[in-house]
Amino acid sequence: MRVPPLGRDAWLALGMNALSCLGSGLTMPFLLVYLHAVRDLPLGTAGAVLAVSGVAGLVVVPLTGPLVDRAGARPAFVGGLLVGGAGIALFTVATSLGWALLAAVVYGFSGGLTWNSFASLLAQLVPASSRGAVFALRYTSANAAFGAGALIAGFVTVGSTAGPYVAILLVDAVSYVALAAAMLLVPAPVVTSTDTGGGYRVVLRDRALLRVLVVNTLLTVFALAQPSAIFTAWVTGPGGQSSRVAGIAFAVNIAVLLACQLPVLAWARGRSRLRVAAASAVVFAGAWVLLAFGAGHAALIVAALGVFAVGETLLSPTLPALVNDLAPDELRGRYNAALALSQQSGPVLAPLLGGLALGRGLGVPYVLLLAAVCLATAALASTIRVYEEVS
């Protein structure tokens, strides 16, 4: 299968981002354990600290839009990496709740800035016709790298002593600084227009963008964010299986992502981004139905997350690229900030909705509800008509 011809600069940026995600995979899945088992924070308090990090990222996102538009995507991304390194480094000295909260806030600010600035940078490094490919490869490479990092850390960060955890955190912090320096090898894209008049007022008046964001929010909340939010709890609860089955399912998910992304990109080329997004929603619905009927059957549960990965490969080249098709260069940072806010709705709402359903013994009905919402979203995406570049 032919690899998309994105150009040296885009491939370099994707490679740097994948290394950054590898570092995040080394640290993020085990921060809760580190804060609780090593730094002696109560489990509930440690969870609240990490939630503060997410809220900090959410709060800072609207501020990153004007920063990216005025300073440029590459300088903003480099700055975000440096802030992220500082945040991770602060976790190594988080011996009290105050230090842990400071580290969480700094790291959260970094996430809000790097997501927006990197999306804007990728959109500027490739022509509009290649945006679908570059955003798809970003999604797949980031997920694969994060999973690999988590796997490596699982063999290192064991026990209740600080040494292994602190070593991993310091390696990740240094990698942020190294990646920031490496990003200077990527030429800053030339943006011809610098008029930022209107700001977010222009964004909020863009009806095409708002329609796309509605579709993106629904798919983020009722599809993309659900596996990390409820899948393991569902498998070990209503699914009647062990956590080992959940681990196998996630491994299959990553394998299918890697195997299918390039063929799906080839299939999607020349098709409407919204139509492909609608197809992804149908596949997500099928995965949820398979999961609902998989209660008590390990093979069906694993297969459901494999089918889900096909939906991910379909969705990844569509809506982020379409938002950047709609964005004028001078407001690209603000458009991507709006998309980032939509993406953040998933990690906030998915655990809340899933936790309420599982807590009331409604695991199977909840998954069927997810399927119904995905089908409704597919119908909605199919009816939207906006001027767009094809995938």
Side-chain angles (χ1 to χ4, degrees):
M1 188 62 61
R2 186 170 64 91
V3 176
L6 302 178
R8 183 191 73 91
D9 296 337
W11 280 113
L12 182 59
L14 287 171
M16 294 298 101
N17 185 64
L19 288 174
S20 176
C21 292
L22 178 69
S24 297
L26 288 170
T27 56
M28 294 310 295
F30 300 96
L31 271 180
L32 184 66
V33 176
Y34 165 73
L35 292 173
H36 173 60
V38 176
R39 298 309 183 190
D40 297 322
L41 293 181
L43 196 57
T45 302
V49 167
L50 298 185
V52 165
S53 182
V55 172
L58 193 63
V59 168
V60 80
V61 162
L63 303 178
T64 68
L67 176 62
V68 170
D69 288 332
R70 290 169 182 162
R74 190 190 69 167
F77 185 54
V78 169
L81 288 172
L82 294 175
V83 174
I88 288 295
L90 284 170
F91 275 114
T92 67
V93 295
T95 55
S96 66
L97 177 59
W99 278 104
L101 285 171
L102 177 62
V105 169
V106 173
Y107 189 74
F109 283 171
S110 163
L113 178 55
T114 54
W115 197 100
N116 180 3
S117 56
F118 191 63
S120 300
L121 178 63
L122 287 180
Q124 293 169 345
L125 286 175
V126 299
S129 60
S130 296
R131 283 178 185 150
V134 79
F135 280 108
L137 292 172
R138 174 203 188 184
Y139 181 89
T140 298
S141 61
N143 277 274
F146 187 92
L151 180 63
I152 294 169
F155 290 103
V156 177
T157 52
V158 293
S160 57
T161 58
Y165 294 91
V166 169
I168 288 289
L169 289 168
L170 287 175
V171 167
D172 192 22
V174 171
S175 74
Y176 271 87
V177 178
L179 290 171
M183 283 305 300
L184 298 177
L185 298 174
V186 178
V190 177
V191 179
T192 56
S193 176
T194 58
D195 179 15
T196 57
Y200 279 115
R201 291 192 300 274
V202 175
V203 177
L204 295 175
R205 288 198 299 264
D206 189 332
R207 293 184 179 181
L209 172 69
L210 297 181
R211 293 186 185 107
V212 172
L213 292 180
V214 168
V215 172
N216 187 74
T217 300
L218 289 171
L219 290 179
T220 299
V221 174
F222 294 98
L224 292 182
Q226 292 292 332
S228 60
I230 63 118
F231 184 76
T232 301
W234 195 95
V235 169
T236 57
Q241 304 296 317
S242 68
S243 59
R244 183 171 177 268
V245 171
I248 294 172
F250 279 114
V252 168
N253 177 267
I254 294 296
V256 173
L257 270 175
L258 291 172
C260 291
Q261 188 64 85
L262 289 180
V264 166
L265 276 176
W267 175 83
R269 191 174 297 118
R271 288 178 166 86
S272 160
R273 301 200 201 281
L274 280 169
R275 293 294 178 86
V276 177
S280 78
V282 173
V283 174
F284 287 139
W288 293 135
V289 170
L290 187 60
L291 182 63
F293 284 95
H297 304 282
L300 289 180
I301 290 173
V302 171
L305 217 56
V307 173
F308 191 89
V310 176
E312 292 178 278
T313 63
L314 284 165
L315 184 62
S316 59
T318 60
L319 301 183
L322 181 51
V323 167
N324 280 278
D325 290 343
L326 296 170
D329 278 341
E330 66 271 14
L331 294 175
R332 192 171 303 282
R334 290 173 173 86
Y335 271 64
N336 279 303
L339 178 62
L341 286 174
S342 171
Q343 301 280 42
Q344 286 297 318
S345 62
V348 173
L349 294 177
L352 175 63
L353 296 173
L356 289 174
L358 293 177
R360 287 165 172 74
L362 300 174
V364 172
Y366 178 67
V367 171
L368 291 174
L369 173 64
L370 296 179
V373 174
C374 287
L375 286 176
T377 305
L380 174 63
S382 297
T383 63
I384 296 175
R385 296 291 181 268
V386 299
Y387 169 76
E388 54 168 315
E389 298 288 344
V390 293
S391 299

